[in-house]
Amino acid sequence: MSSASKGHLLSTVFLLLLGCLPLLAKESVTIGVLSFRPEAETLARWQPTVDHLNREIADYRFEMVAMSYSALNEAAKTGAIDLVLTNPSHYVLLMHRHGAQRMVTLMAKENGIALTGFGGVIATRAEREDLRTLEDLKGKRVASVGQESLGGYQLQAALLMDRGIHPARDLHFAFTDMPHDRAIEALLADRVDAAFFRTGVLEAMTAEDRLDPEALKILNRQDDVRFPFERSTQLMPEWPFATLSHTPEPLARQVALTLLAMPESSLAAKAGGYIGWSIPADYEPVRRILEQLGLPPYTPAGILSPAEIVQAYKTELFIIALALLAIMALLLHNRHRIEKERRRLQTIYETMDAGLYVMDADGIITHTNPAASRMLGFAPGEMIGQIAHDLFHAHAFNDHLPIDRCPIFRTIQSGKPYSGDEIFRHKDGHYFTARVFSRPFIEAGRARGSVTTFEDITAEERAQQEIREH
């Protein structure tokens, strides 16, 4: 190679390196996107939006990964993603577990019609004369992508429960995992009697010549001229674009402002099938559905059989059995003394002026005293089994404060006591200031829960205010 050619090559390499310097200086941001259709379609729909962010925001380099529910959960847990675009119920789960906070909400569009939300579909094959109503589904086998899906399971399950049909008890599910197409394919292949799937999937498969819509029959069909898709359930708000607990605030602000300013005529909006982005929607109806169904974050998903419980917890059950035997022996030996002490403690517990409640390691109330019920307005049965942070604490000062940022719950996480003034919310909706003292109880070096006492100091605050005014 001549010296002139070498010089030209070195110059070219140098210019390429100079062109790469801005990219090397940019901070990488990974966006996890729930893929409810095939991955190729998810990438085709959302990559233009990521490209738009890269053009409009100079300080960061955005990249997108299409993920399943389980992959998104793991990525959020490990910090492998910085932003997330997912369905509303999955967002509620991520909010509780990983501090997700919604920035903006998608404004979808179909056939020129702005969509306020999405729903779920319950379908069977057109020739099934024995399946006409929701009640006919009892005892039948149903395909669904999984319990994590709002449009592919939760909305349908909530609808059935409102009709007196318990999904876990009265139906037999075949979970197919994502995408929703698999549930429809299982139905068409006659492997199941019915299928649950998200609105819009039926029409998308029809447009792709993969489905004859006349082959299916929609149960509990809802007629709505404002909504262009077949549906069986109520509508829920569209997807949120959210941050996670480790997402820098400047990044979140720039992304939110960029998405809100995106015009409907942009390539990103056209490819994504949406009008644009709006201020965050209210996802409280979604949270109530999860609570109604007893799905995470309110209880673990799935119910183990007795055999599975024994297999999974053999050691724990053996220890519990030994502990019960030891307790029974102790009670038999000292039952009179113990009963006297128990009555004394019960009297103190029930007559003390301060409110008291006990939480387990997940922040769920396991015990409460009459004073707590009186000050909060909830009957004991309304409190036990509920997350204290959600029931009367979080809504008082921040509707979306993650539980792991709650100073009372952090007592369990840190293993250290906490005292301070907090705002509690009475059942009737009014707020009051509570002086709180929370102490964890430690077993084997770990906090297994906490005991919290509190007093209503509203009158004290009012008196102090009057003193200051005079």
Side-chain angles (χ1 to χ4, degrees), residues 82-377:
D82 306 291
L83 301 170
V84 62
L85 178 60
T86 188
N87 81 33
S89 65
H90 191 229
Y91 159 71
V92 172
L93 177 64
L94 294 178
M95 179 179 68
H96 279 261
R97 289 184 176 174
H98 306 296
Q101 292 291 308
R102 66 204 196 282
M103 297 182 295
V104 292
T105 291
L106 179 68
M107 295 189 298
K109 179 179 69 172
E110 185 68 26
N111 297 328
I113 301 175
L115 302 181
T116 58
F118 68 98
V121 184
I122 303 175
T124 184
R125 292 184 300 281
E127 71 272 13
R128 290 293 297 264
E129 294 296 327
D130 60 323
L131 294 176
R132 294 179 176 273
T133 68
L134 297 179
E135 288 71 21
D136 295 332
L137 290 173
K138 286 186 175 181
K140 299 299 189 292
R141 188 168 172 80
V142 179
S144 162
V145 293
Q147 291 183 325
E148 306 94 339
S149 175
L150 180 60
Y153 175 84
Q154 293 163 6
L155 284 171
Q156 294 90 334
L159 171 65
L160 292 173
M161 289 193 74
D162 290 341
R163 299 288 185 89
I165 305 167
H166 196 289
R169 183 183 63 232
D170 298 330
L171 278 63
H172 307 290
F173 282 96
F175 292 121
T176 64
D177 205 353
M178 291 289 197
H180 287 259
D181 309 44
R182 294 179 179 176
I184 297 178
E185 291 165 355
L187 176 61
L188 295 174
D190 204 17
R191 296 197 298 269
V192 292
D193 303 296
F196 292 173
F197 50 91
R198 189 190 194 274
T199 53
V201 176
L202 184 153
E203 290 77 9
M205 292 181 67
T206 300
E208 296 162 2
D209 291 327
R210 296 172 53 210
L211 172 66
D212 176 6
E214 298 299 322
L216 300 183
K217 175 171 58 179
I218 310 302
L219 302 185
N220 199 54
R221 174 185 271 116
Q222 302 296 302
D223 295 321
D224 186 349
V225 295
R226 299 168 299 176
F227 191 77
F229 299 137
E230 295 279 11
R231 68 181 175 99
S232 304
T233 72
Q234 62 178 313
L235 297 176
M236 286 288 122
E238 269 291 352
W239 286 23
F241 209 131
T243 64
L244 295 168
S245 58
H246 65 274
T247 308
E249 193 277 333
L251 167 63
R253 182 172 61 251
Q254 290 187 62
V255 170
L257 292 173
T258 301
L259 292 176
L260 288 170
M262 181 187 292
E264 183 180 350
S265 59
S266 68
L267 293 175
K270 290 179 180 178
Y274 58 83
I275 295 174
W277 303 84
S278 70
I279 60 174
D282 178 15
Y283 294 102
E284 174 62 16
V286 180
R287 189 201 67 79
R288 288 198 297 266
I289 285 179
L290 294 176
E291 191 172 29
Q292 174 190 5
L293 298 177
L295 291 175
Y298 298 100
T299 61
I303 299 175
L304 297 177
S305 68
E308 291 171 325
I309 292 173
V310 171
Q311 181 63 30
Y313 301 103
K314 287 185 292 188
T315 303
E316 291 85 347
L317 290 173
F318 178 71
I319 293 172
I320 290 171
L322 289 179
L324 288 174
L325 288 173
I327 291 171
M328 289 176 64
L330 181 63
L331 288 173
L332 289 173
H333 184 68
N334 300 298
R335 63 187 180 201
H336 296 299
R337 182 176 60 82
I338 291 173
E339 179 60 23
K340 182 179 179 180
E341 184 66 17
R342 187 195 66 79
R343 287 198 301 268
R344 188 178 72 84
L345 291 174
Q346 185 71 20
T347 300
I348 296 173
Y349 177 73
E350 292 182 351
T351 59
M352 63 187 295
D353 292 330
L356 180 147
Y357 60 93
V358 180
M359 295 189 297
D360 65 13
D362 297 317
I364 295 173
I365 299 172
T366 59
H367 297 85
T368 184
N369 76 339
S373 295
R374 183 176 66 254
M375 281 188 273
L376 293 169

